[in-house]
Amino acid sequence: MLKLGLTGGIGAGKSEVSRILSSYGAVLIDSDRIAREVVEPGTPGLAAVVAEFGPEVLTADGSLDRPALGGIVFSDSERLRALNAIVHPLVRERSAELEDAAGSDAVVVHDVPLLTENGLAPLYDVVVVVDASPETQLDRLVRLRGMAEDEARARMAAQATRAERLAVADVVIDNDGPLEALEPQVRTVWTELVERAAGS
């Protein structure tokens, strides 16, 4: 098994890279998706979030009001730390279960947005960083995702810097250009990963 940590700043295109790797046969463990699962209604995770942040982070149907919670934590590093202290251990536990279920010759891709911020690089055999300039990230967040510029800048500022991410990278995939330039890079990386997994 080859354990790959995949990360990149918001708007860099990490999700597209993980989608392509999945299409090639990688076992994808998506931290963002797991983070949503562990705070679904009825879970201990959601109960802990409500205990910490109050019932105003719930919608009328009892599910997590993500925009309300985001408004609290993305402008306050202390509150963000409190949220991470609840969610991250639950995500790690579930990720470990999924990894244990993968085959011994699998390439397991851990899609981890906060890999750099949380010092997780040593957990993986290979760290792949999807890189784009801050200008490109901002443009994608505002133009493609419809975020307000202030919100986009706040989300980017809450993450590691570009230099910090690149410092932990074993492989860098440049996604500053058009989408059609991305897949050939990912295909090359995938070929190398499969060879390495076969030899491990």
Side-chain angles (χ1 to χ4, degrees):
M1 179 186 295
L2 186 72
K3 294 191 283 187
L4 183 151
L6 177 68
T7 195
I10 187 169
K14 176 179 56 59
S15 297
E16 185 63 21
V17 171
S18 66
R19 185 195 64 74
I20 296 169
L21 288 170
S22 292
S23 76
Y24 293 159
V27 175
L28 179 64
I29 299 178
D30 184 337
S31 291
D32 268 355
R33 189 165 67 225
I34 296 170
R36 288 191 289 274
E37 290 173 5
V38 299
V39 291
E40 284 178 351
T43 59
L46 182 59
V49 170
V50 173
E52 176 68 35
F53 294 95
E56 61 269 21
V57 297
L58 291 177
T59 62
D61 68 1
S63 59
L64 186 62
D65 185 337
R66 294 181 182 282
L69 182 60
I72 295 168
V73 301
F74 285 115
S75 58
D76 185 334
S77 59
E78 288 291 318
R79 304 305 281 147
L80 182 58
R81 271 194 289 275
L83 177 63
N84 290 343
I86 295 167
V87 176
H88 289 171
L90 298 171
V91 172
R92 279 195 296 272
E93 184 181 326
R94 180 64 182 139
S95 296
E97 291 172 2
L98 293 170
E99 186 179 282
D100 289 345
S104 60
D105 60 347
V107 175
V108 179
V109 175
H110 289 264
D111 184 330
V112 187
L114 300 179
L115 183 150
T116 307
E117 293 83 343
N118 293 321
L120 302 178
L123 299 179
Y124 306 104
D125 300 312
V126 182
V127 173
V128 175
V129 171
V130 183
D131 181 55
S133 69
E135 295 77 17
T136 298
Q137 290 176 260
L138 184 64
D139 174 65
R140 288 174 180 159
L141 294 174
V142 173
R143 188 170 50 85
L144 302 179
R145 294 200 200 174
M147 272 189 200
E149 186 172 330
D150 287 352
E151 182 189 357
R153 288 185 184 279
R155 297 240 176 163
M156 289 169 62
Q159 295 188 332
T161 65
R162 186 182 192 185
E164 287 167 342
R165 276 190 297 274
L166 293 175
V168 302
D170 297 304
V171 177
V172 177
I173 293 175
D174 175 12
N175 193 28
D176 223 22
L179 195 58
E180 54 269 21
L182 184 62
E183 186 154 12
Q185 292 185 76
V186 180
R187 193 180 309 118
T188 299
V189 170
W190 174 250
T191 302
E192 293 168 0
L193 293 172
V194 170
E195 288 173 2
R196 186 162 168 179
S200 61

